[in-house]
Amino acid sequence: PMAAFLKEIEGGQPALKHVDTTDKSGPVIDNDIKIGANPMEEVKKSIAAGASLKHVDTTADRSAPMIEKDVKIHENARPALFNELKSKAVASN
């Protein structure tokens, strides 16, 4: 078999069989689908033209956090707790 294969390669172009193919690489678009013009050019023109904006008075800015006046912030006790746990762990070893 190898000798026949080499002989076919050395003999030039081998005899190829004809093959019928069905190309399915294109998109499948149903018949009832209508493709219209792309409105991007009009959008670009409207962006380039700009828009006339009206002045807005900010009377009630509610973006700041609402913290009640009686709220008190104390020091976090967690670092002291961790130090206590570390010291007890070292002492027990």
Side-chain angles (χ1 to χ4, degrees):
M2 187 59 134
F5 177 69
L6 291 175
K7 184 178 178 185
E8 183 180 354
I9 291 174
E10 291 171 356
Q13 204 170 28
L16 299 176
K17 298 177 184 176
H18 178 72
V19 177
D20 290 326
T21 61
T22 305
D23 185 11
K24 295 182 180 179
S25 62
V28 177
I29 301 174
D30 292 333
N31 292 335
D32 60 339
I33 300 295
K34 304 291 185 236
I35 299 175
N38 189 348
M40 193 59 183
E41 292 302 320
E42 295 171 13
V43 172
K44 288 179 186 177
K45 288 178 185 175
S46 68
I47 291 172
S52 60
L53 301 176
K54 298 176 185 174
H55 178 72
V56 176
D57 292 326
T58 54
T59 55
D61 185 8
R62 294 184 178 94
S63 62
M66 300 290 285
I67 301 174
E68 297 176 10
K69 293 182 180 183
D70 61 340
V71 172
K72 304 229 184 303
I73 299 174
H74 301 284
E75 184 178 348
N76 189 352
R78 192 169 220 167
L81 174 65
F82 285 146
N83 290 335
E84 180 183 347
L85 292 174
K86 285 180 189 176
S87 65
K88 288 185 179 182
V90 171
S92 66
N93 288 336

